[in-house]
Amino acid sequence: MFVRTATASTTAAALLGAGALLLPADRPEAPERQGQDAPVVVAHRGASGYAPENTLAAVDAADALGIEWVENDVHRTRDGVLVVLHDTDLKRTTDAEQVFPDRAPWAVKDFTAAELAKLDAGSWFGARFTGARVPTLTQFLHRMERNRQKLLLEIKSPATYPGIERDIIRVLGRSGWLDRSHVRSRLVIQSFGADSVKKVHSLRPDITTGFLGTPAVADLPSYAAFTDQINPSYATIGADYVAAVQGLKGAHGKRLRVNTWTVNKAADAVKARDYGVDGIITNFPDVVRDATS
């Protein structure tokens, strides 16, 4: 995985329009490099520090910052449409409680795609994003293709959506994301559910997969049989753990990679880099990029 050439945050603001990005005024200075290769920077739910998470605005914010890799989260609606948002319910990042007051607990799986399309998924983050919508996976893929970005796709709560792995692969194929170039260098599918990762690997052994979590070192060989990445929380790792993961070969015969999450501070990004991680998933990709490059 690679990162696009660094672009100044001021350029990002210009690309998105005046006021579209509110970059932190007290942004930390990048600590001095210590010689390590820079890890890949992945925009968590898009550049979610600057735009409402998992929206097309967050995809574009990452693109404006010069970030190629974008992470997202995928659910399935009541009528079988795949949509991009993080939570299993709609309360935190949409106005579902106001639009559908009698539909508690506002679970994604209980709404149709047409109903989700009525919701405002942006105003909770800031008034300038009022009217942003919950994108379908197809819409999300088309925007990323337009931007020539790369996707780290997370299957959320797979037990809630039996068969979602096959549905995701179907949508990826229809959207042109399963050709050789996408599969080789622009797509990773991950999940906290080991069985879900195994299912993706069995359906499409050519797709790069990742397991979200920090398995015990003794258990790593069993994960290496069906995944290519171990993607743990930053709070759970150190240099020894990263080295243990990278000492094994994954499902495609290459060494296991480590992408850690969610790292938002420059100092933590440098520590993660010094642990030897391959990638850092962050809400503030420009901060992490500048600290580690």
Side-chain angles (χ1 to χ4, degrees):
M1 296 192 291
F2 301 95
V3 178
R4 184 178 302 174
T5 302
T7 304
S9 296
T10 52
T11 302
L15 287 170
L16 289 179
L21 281 182
L22 295 183
L23 301 178
D26 57 347
R27 172 174 160 171
E29 293 295 326
E32 184 178 351
R33 284 293 313 275
Q34 297 181 10
Q36 293 82 356
D37 291 337
V40 173
V41 179
V42 182
H44 185 231
R45 310 177 197 172
S48 56
Y50 304 125
E53 63 184 59
N54 279 320
T55 63
L56 299 184
V59 173
D60 289 343
D63 182 57
L65 290 168
I67 302 300
E68 286 188 331
W69 279 95
V70 172
E71 185 265 358
N72 76 355
D73 309 281
V74 178
H75 295 261
R76 189 171 65 202
T77 65
R78 190 176 73 190
D79 53 342
V81 177
L82 299 179
V83 292
V84 179
L85 73 168
H86 179 268
D87 299 357
T88 56
D89 65 69
L90 299 162
K91 294 183 288 185
R92 181 175 64 87
T93 59
T94 79
D95 59 351
E97 291 183 83
Q98 290 72 47
V99 178
F100 300 105
D102 58 346
R103 298 283 293 276
W106 297 281
V108 177
K109 66 181 179 62
D110 294 334
F111 287 78
T112 67
E115 289 171 332
L116 290 187
K118 298 176 182 178
L119 300 178
D120 180 343
S123 60
W124 68 275
F125 189 89
R128 67 193 183 284
F129 295 108
T130 298
R133 301 302 177 193
V134 174
T136 66
L137 178 57
T138 298
Q139 291 168 338
F140 200 93
L141 292 170
H142 288 172
R143 181 59 60 88
M144 292 194 65
E145 186 66 26
R146 188 194 75 177
N147 294 345
R148 300 300 299 167
Q149 290 167 298
K150 305 177 182 184
L151 177 61
L152 175 58
L153 184 155
E154 180 182 344
I155 304 173
K156 297 298 292 187
S157 303
T160 303
Y161 312 106
I164 191 173
E165 298 85 4
R166 192 177 297 273
D167 293 340
I168 287 171
I169 289 171
R170 184 181 303 114
V171 171
L172 287 167
R174 289 175 179 172
S175 300
W177 276 72
L178 292 183
D179 63 16
R180 186 179 181 189
S181 65
H182 285 79
V183 169
R184 286 185 64 183
S185 61
R186 293 181 61 190
L187 176 66
V188 178
I189 298 179
Q190 65 175 357
S191 181
F192 283 100
D195 288 343
S196 188
V197 179
K198 289 179 183 178
K199 184 65 173 178
V200 172
H201 182 63
S202 67
L203 290 170
R204 284 293 302 242
D206 55 332
I207 292 177
T208 299
T209 58
F211 175 74
L212 279 161
T214 314
V217 170
D219 295 333
L220 288 172
S222 64
Y223 287 85
F226 60 85
T227 194
D228 305 283
Q229 301 178 359
I230 299 295
N231 297 337
S233 166
Y234 168 71
T236 67
I237 65 170
D240 290 346
Y241 185 81
V242 172
V245 174
Q246 294 171 342
L248 297 173
K249 291 185 177 180
H252 286 98
K254 300 178 181 178
R255 73 164 178 82
L256 285 173
R257 297 175 66 87
V258 178
N259 297 313
T260 191
W261 48 272
T262 303
V263 180
N264 291 326
K265 295 180 180 179
D268 291 337
V270 170
K271 288 181 181 178
R273 183 201 66 197
D274 292 348
Y275 291 159
V277 301
D278 299 287
I280 298 176
I281 302 169
T282 173
N283 299 339
F284 298 96
D286 56 329
V287 172
V288 169
R289 178 195 60 209
D290 295 350
T292 58
S293 61

